[in-house]
Amino acid sequence: MTKRTSAKYKIDRRMGENIWGRPKSPVNRREFGPGQHGQRRKGKMSDFGLQLRAKQKLKGYYGDLTEKQFRRIYAEAERVRGDTGENLIGLLERRLDAVVYRAKFVPTMFAARQFVNHGHVRVNGQKVNIPSYRVKEGDVIEVRNRSKQLAVLLEAVQLAERDVPDYIDADHTKMTAKFVRTPGLGDVPYPVMMEPNLVIEFYAQN
């Protein structure tokens, strides 16, 4: 299991954007960066800086994946036929923790990783506790019976700040979700603009 080394809202502050669209994000109150020099006027960012920022933002969004994990996913996206950027987004959205988050079983991507890790989720009737497990089209993800009354689950279902995307068919009465299809960039409801094309450029040059 990957340990998150920084508080999740530090990622927001570093990027200067509310990358999960959460109402509690400090960026909603202070748009400048963290630290005593955070309010200094920023100069124009270099191409490398823009590419690095795009990579850190996308990597941070999915629970602050390690560089090794993220590079492995990129390498696989590059190998598969088709647009590498679209492939990258598709692979990230097929992670079990991402599907659990998208289905609104938990309030945050970080909670999704913990929820899966603690054994609350079944895929096609089998217990799976690996957040990076890759679901396939048609897979049914369900919350195990003993976990259906957990407070975190009941709270997440009521959240008005986001909807379940159409590539996941969620039933909150049964606490099940079917992964209908692999999405492209335009299908994923990111609260901020993600730029996988810049991520591809970053890895191509570094």
Side-chain angles (χ1 to χ4, degrees), residues 184-199:
L185 175 61
D187 302 316
V188 182
Y190 293 119
V192 296
M193 188 170 73
M194 293 296 181
E195 299 163 296
N197 57 310
L198 293 181
V199 178

Side-chain angles (χ1 to χ4, degrees), residues 8 32 52 55 61 67-68 80 86 100 108 137 140:
K8 58 178 176 290
F32 50 86
L52 177 62
K55 177 183 76 90
Y61 180 87
E67 181 59 27
K68 187 176 179 182
V80 181
E86 293 285 337
V100 166
T108 68
E137 293 178 3
V140 175

Side-chain angles (χ1 to χ4, degrees), residues 31-79:
E31 293 186 358
F32 50 86
Q36 67 183 93
H37 306 298
Q39 296 186 61
R40 283 187 177 173
R41 190 143 83 198
K42 296 182 178 75
K44 190 181 177 188
M45 205 177 276
S46 66
D47 286 347
F48 173 80
L50 290 170
Q51 293 162 3
L52 177 62
R53 181 188 167 91
K55 177 183 76 90
Q56 298 293 65
K57 187 162 64 170
L58 190 60
K59 186 159 74 85
Y61 180 87
Y62 287 94
D64 212 11
L65 301 175
T66 65
E67 181 59 27
K68 187 176 179 182
Q69 284 175 315
F70 196 72
R71 187 178 274 274
R72 195 184 304 131
I73 295 168
Y74 163 76
E76 190 169 345
E78 201 178 29
R79 283 198 304 271

Side-chain angles (χ1 to χ4, degrees), residues 114-131:
Q114 192 175 46
F115 196 73
V116 174
N117 215 25
H118 289 181
H120 297 301
V121 176
R122 294 180 179 277
V123 179
N124 299 328
Q126 299 295 313
K127 179 181 170 182
V128 179
N129 60 2
I130 303 166

Side-chain angles (χ1 to χ4, degrees), residues 86-97:
E86 293 285 337
N87 292 341
L88 177 63
I89 297 299
L91 289 171
L92 288 166
E93 284 293 309
R94 283 175 57 196
R95 286 175 57 97
L96 181 57
D97 54 359

Side-chain angles (χ1 to χ4, degrees), residues 133-144:
Y133 176 89
R134 193 166 294 156
V135 302
K136 299 186 289 292
E137 293 178 3
D139 279 357
V140 175
I141 295 86
E142 62 181 324
V143 177
R144 67 174 186 174

